[in-house]
Amino acid sequence: MTGNVYGQITVPTANGDLKLRIMGRTNVDAGIFVGEDGDDRDGVVMNDTRLGVQANFDEKYAAKIEVCFVDKAISFRDLWVSYSLDTNKTIKFGNFFMPYGSKILGLAYKFVEDAPVDYTFCPLRKIGAAYEYSSDPINFTVGVFSDGNVDARGTNKGYNLAAQAIVRPVLSEEKVLHFGVAPLFTKSDNAVTLKGIVPVTFATPQQAVVSTGAMSAKSQFRYEVEALYINKRFMWETHFMGTSVDLMGEDNYDAQGVFTQMSWHLIGTQQKYNKKTGLVANAAPKTLELLLRADYLNLKGIEDAHYGEQLDLTLGLNYFFSKYLNFKFNYVYAAKKNDTHFNAIQGRLQFSF
């Protein structure tokens, strides 16, 4: 289930009001996982509980801090401060997502779990700085990041150069058409591991369908091309992602993947679009949403039992009781080409404020 509650405190100051928004969320996930080899699992977990504060102060400054409790450990998620140069331009510093992939809002806001291709190629939050420009026709972001985050002490051995551009030839209240491209270069001595998982949260550890194992790399170049279309209650979105890993003493290893998803609001208002992030947001209250996602990951190229091609199909049904609470139901089919396949049914109750 997913729900949202918003609380805000305003304190007058000499340069303008200081606004504090308290936010948080918790998920209750339950499901059944069925594998070919008798690896059948079911379970109930409270997954990814978060608590945070977002502040706006001195008219041009904003900041956010968010902590997460999962797997008996507390860790930071967002930890940043930004400064608005004007209504279109912002500079941001701290620990946050690089401009690549969909995790900034997370396609888990549509489905229970992220698409496996997004999971494979999209990096976690990193410490860095970014310049963001946003207008009706275009978004543009460029940034420099370390290869570590606020919780990963001792593993920062490189840097990332990231950029993203989104163009919107159509932007109206009922229709949106956008195209985007994002290159990402990583220079690091850290090992690179690419793997596709069954997109469920209750089975621990998460089942890997295909995996490269750890690869010694000098650098990595990732790329993404995306398209999104909204027409009233209908939404279609697709992302093509890939990487070229410069291996030490070997030829480059290349891998690609693509996922596409569609959504229909069977009951309720039209699709909601976030112009600043370039992503589709959660639906309005009292909305019943039907979803379909197809995901293909190609890790072929090296003779190893874990390498190969992975295909995932997810059918979803969401109901948003209010802006604070919603329920998600997913049926997932995941298969390694010419090998094993897995089935899973999962429901989520999420409460957030």
Side-chain angles (χ1 to χ4, degrees):
M1 292 183 180
T2 302
N4 300 295
V5 177
Y6 300 96
Q8 185 163 286
I9 302 170
T10 302
V11 181
T13 68
N15 295 326
D17 292 340
L18 168 64
K19 297 180 180 179
L20 297 175
R21 176 185 154 199
I22 310 300
M23 63 188 71
R25 81 180 191 207
T26 191
N27 305 324
V28 180
D29 296 346
I32 300 171
F33 173 89
V34 181
E36 279 187 330
D37 55 0
D39 183 19
D40 299 348
R41 284 176 272 176
D42 55 45
V44 179
V45 296
M46 292 189 70
N47 178 57
D48 200 1
T49 298
R50 301 190 187 189
L51 183 65
V53 178
Q54 184 160 334
N56 296 85
F57 54 96
D58 289 349
E59 298 181 347
K60 290 182 176 293
Y61 290 93
K64 183 179 179 181
I65 179 171
E66 183 183 56
V67 294
C68 174
F69 179 78
V70 63
D71 294 334
K72 301 179 181 180
I74 295 177
S75 59
F76 283 99
R77 290 299 187 259
D78 286 324
L79 183 59
W80 53 259
V81 61
S82 67
Y83 177 76
S84 297
L85 301 172
D86 56 34
T87 56
N88 302 105
K89 307 179 189 71
T90 301
I91 300 175
K92 183 186 287 188
F93 305 89
N95 192 72
F96 55 95
F97 279 117
M98 295 186 287
Y100 182 95
S102 304
K103 291 184 181 294
I104 188 170
L105 275 181
L107 293 183
Y109 278 83
K110 286 289 185 182
F111 294 85
V112 172
E113 183 63 291
D114 295 313
V117 166
D118 205 38
Y119 177 94
T120 301
F121 295 111
C122 185
L124 299 175
R125 294 170 177 85
K126 303 292 184 182
I127 300 172
Y131 168 84
E132 302 172 351
Y133 175 84
S134 177
S135 66
D136 284 351
I138 64 171
N139 284 12
F140 178 73
T141 304
V142 62
V144 179
F145 299 81
S146 74
D147 198 38
N149 58 56
V150 69
D151 291 314
R153 296 182 181 180
T155 61
N156 184 3
K157 301 178 180 179
Y159 62 88
N160 293 273
L161 303 177
Q164 183 188 58
I166 293 175
V167 179
R168 284 180 282 265
V170 178
L171 179 64
S172 68
E173 296 223 351
E174 294 188 340
K175 293 184 179 181
V176 177
L177 176 63
H178 96 202
F179 302 98
V181 60
L184 171 58
F185 175 78
T186 301
K187 177 67 175 178
S188 173
D189 293 332
N190 289 323
V192 174
T193 301
L194 303 174
K195 64 179 180 178
I197 63 166
V198 179
V200 298
T201 60
F202 63 88
T204 303
Q206 287 182 303
Q207 178 71 48
V209 182
V210 293
S211 174
T212 63
M215 300 183 292
S216 298
K218 294 184 289 185
S219 64
Q220 181 180 182
F221 176 72
R222 280 170 279 198
Y223 49 90
E224 176 186 21
V225 179
E226 63 174 279
L228 183 147
Y229 174 69
I230 291 175
N231 187 346
K232 299 180 181 177
R233 297 185 181 188
F234 173 78
M235 183 275 295
W236 167 80
E237 182 176 13
T238 190
H239 292 253
F240 175 77
M241 296 178 172
T243 186
S244 181
V245 183
D246 186 4
L247 300 176
M248 293 183 179
E250 301 180 38
D251 294 335
N252 285 11
Y253 175 73
D254 298 321
Q256 304 84 30
V258 61
F259 68 90
T260 186
Q261 66 174 25
M262 292 176 283
S263 162
W264 299 267
H265 287 179
L266 304 177
I267 300 174
T269 58
Q270 66 187 50
Q271 299 278 348
K272 296 170 66 177
Y273 178 74
N274 188 322
K275 183 181 70 175
K276 184 173 179 59
T277 62
L279 295 168
V280 180
N282 263 336
K286 309 302 181 185
T287 297
L288 179 64
E289 182 178 31
L290 178 66
L291 304 108
L292 178 64
R293 182 175 70 196
D295 183 283
Y296 171 75
L297 176 63
N298 185 346
L299 298 184
K300 294 193 304 181
I302 299 178
E303 294 182 2
D304 187 287
H306 296 291
Y307 285 65
E309 299 170 79
Q310 176 178 343
L311 174 66
D312 300 84
L313 299 173
T314 304
L315 179 65
L317 191 67
N318 300 336
Y319 185 72
F320 296 82
F321 297 97
S322 68
K323 66 180 181 179
Y324 314 115
L325 186 69
N326 68 57
F327 174 75
K328 292 179 169 63
F329 173 84
N330 283 180
Y331 164 72
V332 179
Y333 171 81
K336 179 180 178 181
K337 186 176 180 181
N338 301 325
D339 202 338
T340 56
H341 67 265
F342 310 87
N343 293 273
I345 297 175
Q346 179 169 351
R348 164 172 289 180
L349 177 65
Q350 185 188 69
F351 171 76
S352 41
F353 60 90

